[in-house]
Amino acid sequence: MDQGHAGGTSFIRRGREFKTIVAMLRLYCRARHRAAGGELCPDCAALHDYALQRLQRCPFGEDKPACGKCRVHCYKPDRREQVRQVMRWAGPRMTWRHPVLALRHLIDGRKPAPTLKKRE
């Protein structure tokens, strides 16, 4: 995971996104696929790796919006639907298990999505 430059605050938002998607996947997989000990089943592990790769490559960098508000869809349609399922199920449960992450995710989701600058 990219921590930004030394002493700087870049990628704090993206770091929270990493933590949030990992927490949601763990909750979902533990309940739905009976994964134990914080481990993910092979399907959820693959989704985890894909989601983290997409977050790392987000074209907005530190100005990254919540994926639901984003105008650029980085996920393949089938993966996007998988993440939606995880978020629909885990989102309400995040309030009890990870209240700070849940609150920050809700706040981040209210911010408007920036526009992507065109390449010259």
Side-chain angles (χ1 to χ4, degrees):
M1 174 171 39
D2 189 356
Q3 297 294 321
H5 51 278
T9 59
S10 64
F11 301 109
I12 290 173
R13 164 83 179 89
R14 199 178 336 186
R16 268 198 322 270
E17 285 266 333
F18 279 117
K19 289 178 184 178
T20 302
I21 192 67
V22 169
M24 286 183 161
L25 277 166
R26 284 186 177 149
L27 284 173
Y28 180 83
C29 192
R30 185 181 312 131
R32 301 293 235 171
H33 305 137
R34 306 284 188 237
E39 296 295 319
L40 298 174
C41 73
D43 288 339
C44 289
L47 182 59
H48 168 273
D49 294 345
Y50 182 81
L52 295 186
Q53 180 185 51
R54 297 287 87 198
L55 283 171
Q56 287 173 333
R57 294 182 178 175
C58 179
F60 293 105
E62 63 185 273
D63 294 327
K64 184 195 175 317
C67 293
K69 296 265 184 172
C70 192
R71 295 179 183 130
V72 177
H73 294 292
C74 301
Y75 286 42
K76 294 177 184 176
D78 61 323
R79 292 291 193 182
R80 191 174 331 148
E81 185 53 35
Q82 284 179 308
V83 170
R84 277 189 190 137
Q85 277 185 318
V86 169
M87 288 188 170
R88 259 188 248 133
W89 187 90
R93 289 154 181 90
M94 287 287 288
T95 304
W96 301 109
R97 303 288 243 152
H98 302 282
V100 174
L101 282 177
L103 181 61
R104 294 302 303 252
H105 186 67
L106 287 172
I107 291 169
D108 289 338
R110 297 187 56 85
K111 294 178 183 174
T115 57
L116 190 60
K117 296 175 183 161
K118 293 183 180 184
R119 294 180 184 170
E120 293 181 22

